[in-house]
Amino acid sequence: MLGFIIGIGVLLLISILLMIFRIQSLVSVVKGSDKKRATGSNKWNAALGMIFLLGTGFLFFWYSFKEFDNYQLPVASEHGVVTDGLFWTTMAVTGIVFVITHILLFWFGYKYQYKENGKALYYPDNNKLELIWTVVPAVVLALLIFTGWRAWVDITEKAPEGSEEVEIMGYQFAWAVRYPGEDKKIGDYDFRLIDGSNQFGMDLTDESSLDDFVAPNVMVLPKGKPVLFKIRSRDVLHSVFAPHFRLKMDAVPGMPTRFWFTPTKTTAEMREETGNPDFTYEIACTEVCGRSHFAMRYRVEVVEPAEYEAWLAKQSSWLSQNPEYMEKVPDDLKGVAQVIVDQEKIIQK
Amino acid sequence: MSVAANVSAGAHAHDEHHEHKENFITKYIFSTDHKMIGKQFLLTGMLWALIGGFLSVIFRLQLGFPEMKLEWLRPLLGEWIQVDGSLDPEFYLALVTMHGTIMVFFVLTAGLSGTFSNFLIPLQIGARDMASGFMNMLSYWFFFLSSVIMLTSLFIETGPAAGGWVVYPPLSALPQAIQGSGLGMTLWLVAMVFFIVSSLLGGINYIATVINLRTKGMSFSRLPLTIWAFFLTAVIGLLSFPVLFAAALLLVFDRSFGTSFYLSDIYIQGEALPNMGGSPILYQHLFWFLGHPEVYIVLLPALGITSEIIATNSRKPIFGYKAMIISMLGITVLSFVVWAHHMFVSGLNPFLGSIFMFLTLIIAVPSAVKVFNYLTTLWKGNIIFTPAMLFSIGLVSFFISGGLTGIFLGNSAIDIQLHDTYFVVAHFHLVMGSASFFGLMAGVYHWFPKMFGKMMDAKLGYIHFWLTFVGVYMVFFPMHYIGIAGFPRRYYSWSNFEFANSFTDLNMFVSVAAILTFVAQFVFLFNFFWSMYRGKKAPLNPWRSNTLEWTTPLEPVHGNWPGEIPTVYRWPYDYSKPGAEEDFIPQTVPYSQTPESNLPHEQQFVDEEREDAADDVVVANEHKH
C-alpha cells in the first residue's frame, strides 16, 4: 500500500514538473526570448557562477580548517615527517593556483557575460604570455619534484647496517610476521614447503631459520631504531600500509619487496598525544586481494628499545613450538637446533 | 553573408550527391553513414553510463549506509544480497570493478570518442564520410558485441570480474582467489578483446580520414581543435591498445593454458601451484602502458570539444591556437612515458621510480598551458552561457581541481602515503572521469541541433548543469579529506580499522550527493529524447559558429553536402574580428570577401586565393577539352 502511494506521489510530481516545463517553454515562445541571442538566463548563469565560487570557496576553507586534526593522521616515522612536509608544501603551492584560477574562471564568466552591444576582444595569441606560463609552472614543478626526489632517494636507500629486520607476509586474508631470532637473520623459505603449521614455508635446511620466531598477534618494534620490513605474499598481491608511519609497499608473490623506516613514537606516547587511551598502530592492505580485503588488520606496538629487547628474549622459536618439524632439520644442523630449543627453555623458566 | 550560396552556386555538374535507397536495416542498424554510427555510439554510451552510474549508487549505499538493509535489491541482485540484507563483499568488489571498466572504456572511450570522432570528423574537415564506411560499421558492431558480452557477465552466477578495473593478476588469474576470476573474468577478457578491435578499427579510420579527406584549403593549421584532439586521440589509441591486447592475451594463457607469465610462488587454498618465474609486475607494466595513455584517450576529445565550444560562446578566437596544438602533441608523446607512476610502491626499482616522477611532472606543463589558454579565451569575451558552454566551464574547473592533485600523486615520495587511498579516487574522478563526462555532455548539447535538427531545451540544460556540477563536487571533493586521512580504496567497510573509523558522516554525505547527481541525469535524458521528437526546429547555425558542419543542410544527407564540398579559406576561430560586420566569419568565407576585417599579414591570402581561382578555371577548361 505504502509503495503504491509513493508511486502515485512520484507520478504526480513528475507530471507537475512536466507541466511546468511545458508552460515555461510556451511562455518563452510568447515572449520571443527564444529568438534572442542571450536571454535573461545568461545573467542568472553568470551570477550563479559567482555564488558557486563564493559558497564553495567558503565551505572549502571552513571545513579544511575545522576538520584539520581529524583528517591529518599523526605521524610517527622519520621519513613521514619529511613526506608530510612535502605534502603540505605542495598543498600550499597548488592551493594558491587552485584559488586564483577558479576566481579567474568564474569572475571572467561574470564580468564578460554577453552584452547586446558588447564586442569581444580579438586576441588570438601572445607568445610572451605563453612562454611565461610554460616556464613558470615548469620551474615551480621542478623545485617540487627535486625536493620530492631527494626524499624518495633517501627513503628507498638501502636500510642502514644493524636495522631490525622483520618479515611480513600477506595472504588471504591476514598478515603473518616473522622475526629473525637471535642471529638477526631471517631464514630462507620456499613456497613449496608451506603447510598447515609452516605457513611461511620456512626452509629448515637453512641454519638461520632455526631460531626464527613468528609474532603472536602483534608486531613489536623498538622506537628510534631503523626497522626493515621484508615484504612478501604467498598468494595474490597485497600491500602493506601502515598509515601512521607513512609506509606503503606491495607484497608480490615471487618478488620480495622491502621498506625501511624509523619509528619515532612509542604506542604509549601516541596514546598521550592523541588523547586516545586505546590508540594502536595498524597495518592495512591497500591492494585489492579478494573478499576480505577490507579486514586484513594487523596491530603494531612500538616500545622503548629496552622493553623491545625484553620482549624479544621472551619469544620462543617456531621450531621449538613445532618440535615435530625437527625431523626436517638436516643431521648436521640438528645439534645447533637442539641448542636453540634448550636455551629457550632455560630462558622461559 | 552569401557564402554558402556562393559555394553551392559553384557546384559543378559532376555531382557526387547520389541518394541511396535505404531500408530500416541499412539506415538505422547496419549503417555505414558516419553520422548514424556516431549516434549509435552515443546511445549505447548513454545506456552504459546509466548502468555504470547505477552500479556506483549501489556501492555508495554500502559505503554511506553500511547498516542499510538492501533486501529490496534482491529481485535484481539475488544471492548477492546476503541473508541479513547486506551486500556481499565479493559482489561489492565486482561492482567497483565493473563501474570502472564500464565508465572508462564503454562510456568515456567508446561513448565519447566513438560518438564525436565519428560524427564530427567528416563534417568538420569537409568530407563525405569516413575513409572506410564499412570498417566504421564494423567498429560499432564489434563494440556492440563487446557490450553484450560484458553485460552478460553481470548476470552470471559467479558474478563479473571483481579484481578492480585494472584486473591485476594473480587475483584475476586464479578463480580460487575470488569467484569473479572464474567465468566473469573470462568474459571480461573476451569483451575487452572485441573492444580493442573496435577501438583500432575506429582509430585507423579517424587517422586515415583526417589525413586524406580534408576538403580544399583545410590544411592542418586550419583544423578545428576538436579534430586535432580526435586525431591525436586516435594515434594514442592505435599505439597503446595493442599493448593491452598483449597483456590480456598473456593473462588468457596463464588462466587457461598453464603458462606462468604473471604467476610465481603461489600457495593458495592449501595447494602450492606449479607456476614459477612469472612476474605480476610485468602485467602492471603492460596494463599501464595502455592504462595511462587511456587517461588521455578519454580526456583529449573532451578538451578538443571544449576548446571549440569555449571559443564559439566567448565569441573570441581560442587563445593560443598553436600553443594548444603543441601542448596536445606534448601530451600525446609524454602520455607514453609516464605509465610507471601508477607503480611507485609496486616493488618497482626506486631508480625507475625517480625517472617516472620526472617524466610525470613534465606532463603537467602542457596541461597547465591549456588551462591558462582557456582562461585567457574567456577574458574580455562576450560570453553566452549555453548549456554546452556551462559544461565546458565545468570541465575547466574539474581539470584544474583534479589536475592539481596529480602533482601530489606524481611525486613518488608523497605518493607512498596517498597511493590507493580515496585521494586517488578523488583525483581521477575529477580530472578524467568528470572532466571527460562534462566534455561529452557539452558536445551533446552543442551538436544536438546538427544531430537531430532540433534544439534541446536550454532551461532544462541549465538545471541539469547546476545539479550535476554542484553534485560532482559534493561527491568528489570530500573524498580528498577521506584520502588524506588514509582511507584505502576498494574497501567494503572501514570499521575494522581504528584509523579509518571516522568520517561516517562525510561518507553518508557523499553517498547522498552521488544518488542526487545520478537522479539529476534523468533531467538530461528527458530533455534529450523529448527534444529529439518535440524540440524546436533548429536554425542552420544556432551558435553562430565558424566550422564547416554548420554549412550542411539542417539534417545532412548521406554525403553531408548536397552539392560540392565547400572550400575552406581561413582558420575556424575568426570570432569578433575587428572591422567585421558580424562577430563571426565562417571558414568558407574567402579573405577576398572580407577586406574590411583582414589583418595586414592576411592580405597575401587574398592574392593566393585569386591565383587558386585562376588555376581552377584552367583545370576546369582542360577538363572540357
Side-chain angles (χ1 to χ4, degrees):
Chain A
M1 190 60 198
L2 188 69
F4 181 70
I5 292 173
I6 292 176
I8 297 264
V10 169
L11 271 180
L12 264 174
L13 191 71
I14 291 178
S15 37
I16 290 171
L17 289 175
L18 281 180
M19 204 97 82
I20 295 174
F21 164 68
R22 280 309 284 161
I23 291 170
Q24 76 85 13
S25 47
L26 289 175
V27 166
S28 79
V29 171
V30 173
K31 284 205 317 213
S33 58
D34 58 328
K35 297 257 175 355
K36 277 196 221 151
R37 286 188 64 186
T39 57
S41 309
N42 215 52
K43 275 195 193 107
W44 271 105
N45 282 310
L48 278 173
M50 285 307 279
I51 293 169
F52 174 82
L53 174 72
L54 296 173
T56 50
F58 168 76
L59 278 176
F60 165 57
F61 282 105
W62 170 73
Y63 194 84
S64 299
F65 284 106
K66 179 175 97 75
E67 292 287 316
F68 183 81
D69 289 332
N70 288 335
Y71 61 78
Q72 170 67 5
L73 282 183
V75 57
S77 70
E78 276 180 9
H79 77 269
V81 176
V82 177
T83 55
D84 272 15
L86 287 170
F87 177 87
W88 289 110
T89 316
T90 312
M91 186 64 88
V93 174
T94 55
I96 292 169
V97 179
F98 174 69
V99 170
I100 292 179
T101 46
H102 268 94
I103 290 177
L104 292 181
L105 182 64
F106 290 105
W107 180 58
F108 284 171
Y110 183 76
K111 178 137 197 263
Y112 301 112
Q113 56 181 291
Y114 181 79
K115 286 179 201 74
E116 191 92 36
N117 305 317
K119 185 150 194 185
L121 175 72
Y122 186 83
Y123 189 50
D125 53 21
N126 180 334
N127 289 341
K128 205 165 151 195
L129 272 179
E130 300 282 2
L131 193 70
I132 290 172
W133 59 52
T134 307
V135 171
V136 172
V139 170
V140 175
L141 280 171
L143 290 174
L144 287 177
I145 302 167
F146 188 69
T147 46
W149 174 71
R150 291 262 302 267
W152 173 250
V153 168
D154 290 344
I155 294 166
T156 55
E157 210 179 19
K158 254 196 146 134
E161 286 283 316
S163 300
E164 294 296 318
E165 290 188 13
V166 183
E167 181 180 60
I168 172 159
M169 180 187 75
Y171 62 97
Q172 288 183 322
F173 294 98
W175 301 102
V177 172
R178 178 163 70 134
Y179 280 76
E182 221 168 316
D183 64 356
K184 299 281 177 199
K185 265 160 92 181
I186 293 173
D188 289 347
Y189 59 85
D190 189 319
F191 76 104
R192 285 164 295 195
L193 297 173
I194 296 174
D195 57 38
S197 321
N198 188 3
Q199 56 171 346
F200 283 89
M202 277 197 267
D203 181 0
L204 296 172
T205 62
D206 176 25
E207 192 180 338
S208 43
S209 61
L210 299 178
D211 62 345
D212 293 358
F213 70 86
V214 176
N217 52 15
V218 59
M219 179 198 288
V220 179
L221 297 175
K223 174 189 157 184
K225 280 181 80 173
V227 176
L228 172 65
F229 277 179
K230 295 179 116 174
I231 300 163
R232 65 189 174 100
S233 161
R234 67 173 205 199
D235 40 39
V236 298
L237 291 173
H238 300 277
S239 188
V240 178
F241 177 38
H244 299 96
F245 301 126
R246 307 294 191 258
L247 179 159
K248 191 176 287 139
M249 182 52 73
D250 282 8
V252 185
M255 192 188 87
T257 55
R258 46 182 60 212
F259 200 112
W260 74 271
F261 68 107
T262 310
T264 52
K265 292 170 189 166
T266 65
T267 302
E269 284 169 345
M270 274 302 249
R271 285 182 178 162
E272 210 164 300
E273 185 186 315
T274 57
N276 173 7
D278 300 319
F279 176 86
T280 322
Y281 289 113
E282 291 173 308
I283 285 177
C285 179
T286 47
E287 188 64 70
V288 59
C289 60
R291 186 178 184 88
S292 299
H293 168 53
F294 66 103
M296 284 181 62
R297 178 175 187 249
Y298 201 85
R299 289 187 299 128
V300 179
E301 198 179 336
V302 179
V303 296
E304 297 292 343
E307 208 178 322
Y308 173 68
E309 294 299 330
W311 179 81
L312 279 185
K314 271 198 299 190
Q315 308 303 316
S316 56
S317 69
W318 181 83
L319 188 59
S320 65
Q321 291 184 346
N322 297 274
E324 69 274 17
Y325 280 81
M326 197 57 114
E327 64 189 51
K328 300 238 168 128
V329 181
D331 290 340
D332 56 328
L333 291 179
K334 279 219 164 81
V336 186
Q338 202 55 52
V339 170
I340 292 170
V341 172
D342 292 344
Q343 253 181 358
E344 274 167 9
K345 276 191 187 136
I346 296 165
I347 295 168
Q348 300 289 314
K349 279 169 193 165
Chain B
M1 199 75 37
S2 57
V3 187
N6 262 1
V7 171
S8 48
H12 291 280
H14 66 277
D15 205 353
E16 286 174 60
H17 165 61
H18 40 84
E19 200 59 47
H20 293 281
K21 280 276 166 259
E22 284 178 325
N23 57 32
F24 182 81
I25 290 183
T26 57
K27 186 168 181 205
Y28 292 108
I29 300 178
F30 294 107
S31 169
T32 55
D33 185 295
H34 72 99
K35 298 182 290 297
M36 185 52 68
I37 294 173
K39 290 177 204 171
Q40 288 174 330
F41 270 109
L42 178 61
L43 287 177
T44 320
M46 276 163 54
L47 191 64
W48 271 121
L50 277 180
I51 297 172
F54 179 67
L55 298 185
S56 72
V57 166
I58 303 178
F59 66 69
R60 267 326 309 185
L61 280 179
Q62 163 63 28
L63 293 175
F65 309 92
E67 307 292 320
M68 194 175 189
K69 297 275 169 262
L70 298 173
E71 271 109 356
W72 53 278
L73 278 170
R74 204 167 270 150
L76 189 64
L77 301 181
E79 300 283 305
W80 295 117
I81 303 296
Q82 298 179 114
V83 187
D84 63 348
S86 62
L87 193 67
D88 183 271
E90 227 163 271
F91 193 65
Y92 170 84
L93 291 177
L95 287 172
V96 175
T97 304
M98 295 313 281
H99 168 75
T101 306
I102 289 169
M103 289 306 198
V104 170
F105 293 110
F106 291 77
V107 178
L108 294 176
T109 303
L112 179 59
S113 260
T115 304
F116 290 104
S117 296
N118 267 312
F119 190 78
L120 288 180
I121 288 178
L123 283 174
Q124 286 198 331
I125 67 171
R128 300 249 175 240
D129 205 312
M130 282 286 173
S132 166
F134 180 71
M135 258 168 72
N136 210 15
M137 180 187 86
L138 279 185
S139 162
Y140 175 75
W141 285 102
F142 271 111
F143 167 58
F144 186 82
L145 183 61
S146 163
S147 296
V148 169
I149 297 170
M150 197 59 94
L151 192 65
T152 310
S153 83
L154 282 168
F155 297 100
I156 59 176
E157 195 188 347
T158 49
W165 80 281
V166 296
V167 293
Y168 282 173
L171 185 63
S172 60
L174 305 172
Q176 57 269 56
I178 189 166
Q179 280 187 67
S181 293
L183 181 60
M185 189 61 210
T186 306
L187 292 176
W188 191 96
L189 286 165
V190 174
M192 282 316 293
V193 166
F194 286 122
F195 186 89
I196 293 167
V197 172
S198 151
S199 208
L200 293 179
L201 285 171
I204 292 169
N205 229 337
Y206 306 150
I207 294 171
T209 310
V210 172
I211 292 180
N212 294 314
L213 297 183
R214 282 165 292 122
T215 184
K216 186 161 181 267
M218 182 62 94
S219 60
F220 267 86
S221 58
R222 285 176 185 164
L223 280 184
L225 287 173
T226 35
I227 302 301
W228 268 104
F230 299 148
F231 176 67
L232 293 174
T233 303
V235 171
I236 298 177
L238 197 60
L239 294 176
S240 62
F241 266 114
V243 180
L244 179 68
F245 183 77
L249 196 64
L250 299 188
L251 188 53
V252 169
F253 276 32
D254 272 9
R255 288 166 52 81
S256 308
F257 305 116
T259 55
S260 303
F261 291 107
Y262 306 134
L263 305 179
S264 185
D265 295 33
I266 292 168
Y267 177 90
I268 193 165
Q269 304 270 314
E271 183 195 8
L273 302 185
N275 309 74
M276 295 275 275
S279 164
I281 304 292
L282 170 64
Y283 174 85
Q284 297 178 22
H285 279 296
L286 293 174
F287 179 84
W288 287 113
F289 193 88
L290 158 91
H292 198 79
E294 173 66 24
V295 171
Y296 296 97
I297 292 177
V298 162
L299 192 59
L300 277 182
L303 292 175
I305 286 171
T306 43
S307 304
E308 176 66 28
I309 292 172
I310 287 183
T312 305
N313 290 297
S314 300
R315 313 309 298 165
K316 269 188 77 184
I318 189 85
F319 182 77
Y321 174 76
K322 286 213 180 85
M324 288 300 232
I325 294 171
I326 293 169
S327 44
M328 281 200 280
L329 279 167
I331 288 173
T332 303
V333 173
L334 288 169
S335 73
F336 283 100
V337 291
V338 296
W339 78 87
H341 66 217
H342 298 270
M343 301 164 60
F344 284 141
V345 294
S346 66
L348 186 80
N349 185 328
F351 176 69
L352 213 52
S354 309
I355 303 288
F356 276 95
M357 162 163 54
F358 282 102
L359 290 167
T360 298
L361 291 164
I362 295 176
I363 207 170
V365 175
S367 310
V369 169
K370 288 192 83 75
V371 167
F372 293 131
N373 284 350
Y374 283 134
L375 290 176
T376 318
T377 307
L378 292 173
W379 179 68
K380 294 207 168 177
N382 202 18
I383 301 168
I384 300 170
F385 291 101
T386 62
M389 180 65 169
L390 287 169
F391 274 96
S392 302
I393 290 175
L395 176 145
V396 175
S397 172
F398 293 151
F399 189 55
I400 297 170
S401 309
L404 287 173
T405 47
I407 295 171
F408 295 79
L409 297 167
N411 191 331
S412 54
I414 302 176
D415 184 59
I416 295 171
Q417 175 73 3
L418 297 177
H419 183 79
D420 267 344
T421 64
Y422 263 71
F423 196 84
V424 179
V425 178
H427 160 70
F428 71 76
H429 273 99
L430 282 177
V431 78
M432 154 179 153
S434 304
S436 306
F437 176 70
F438 268 42
L440 174 66
M441 281 300 148
V444 172
Y445 278 107
H446 194 76
W447 280 289
F448 190 88
K450 195 76 266 169
M451 285 181 177
F452 302 102
K454 304 276 173 63
M455 299 299 283
M456 285 180 85
D457 186 80
K459 287 230 170 61
L460 286 183
Y462 301 142
I463 294 170
H464 174 223
F465 167 75
W466 284 109
L467 288 178
T468 312
F469 184 57
V470 174
V472 164
Y473 265 125
M474 289 201 307
V475 172
F476 297 115
F477 210 86
M479 287 187 186
H480 292 104
Y481 301 105
I482 300 175
I484 296 169
F487 283 48
R489 290 168 79 173
R490 295 175 182 139
Y491 263 37
Y492 173 73
S493 138
W494 290 288
S495 53
N496 288 306
F497 291 88
E498 211 177 272
F499 80 88
N501 202 5
S502 54
F503 284 118
T504 45
D505 51 344
L506 204 58
N507 268 312
M508 215 183 286
F509 177 82
V510 168
S511 295
V512 172
I515 293 166
L516 290 180
T517 314
F518 180 71
V519 172
Q521 303 318 303
F522 287 90
V523 176
F524 167 76
L525 285 178
F526 168 76
N527 196 356
F528 185 86
F529 289 107
W530 174 278
S531 307
M532 198 190 286
Y533 296 103
R534 305 286 301 274
K536 210 154 49 76
K537 189 172 173 236
L540 271 182
N541 189 356
W543 320 118
R544 302 157 68 84
S545 179
N546 286 342
T547 38
L548 277 186
E549 73 272 29
W550 307 107
T551 62
T552 59
L554 185 57
E555 291 191 72
V557 288
H558 192 61
N560 296 339
W561 285 268
E564 195 172 287
I565 302 176
T567 303
V568 163
Y569 295 98
R570 58 176 76 225
W571 77 326
Y573 296 108
D574 267 344
Y575 290 107
S576 299
K577 211 171 181 188
E581 195 183 319
E582 292 277 359
D583 63 356
F584 70 116
I585 309 174
Q587 284 188 280
T588 49
V589 179
Y591 284 106
S592 53
Q593 286 186 10
T594 56
E596 69 282 0
S597 69
N598 287 351
L599 299 170
H601 74 272
E602 286 166 347
Q603 283 306 327
Q604 55 159 338
F605 297 134
V606 177
D607 304 335
E608 283 172 24
E609 277 167 14
R610 265 194 213 114
E611 282 162 29
D612 282 354
D615 287 350
D616 281 351
V617 172
V618 173
V619 172
N621 284 341
E622 275 171 4
H623 270 287
K624 276 180 191 162
H625 290 298

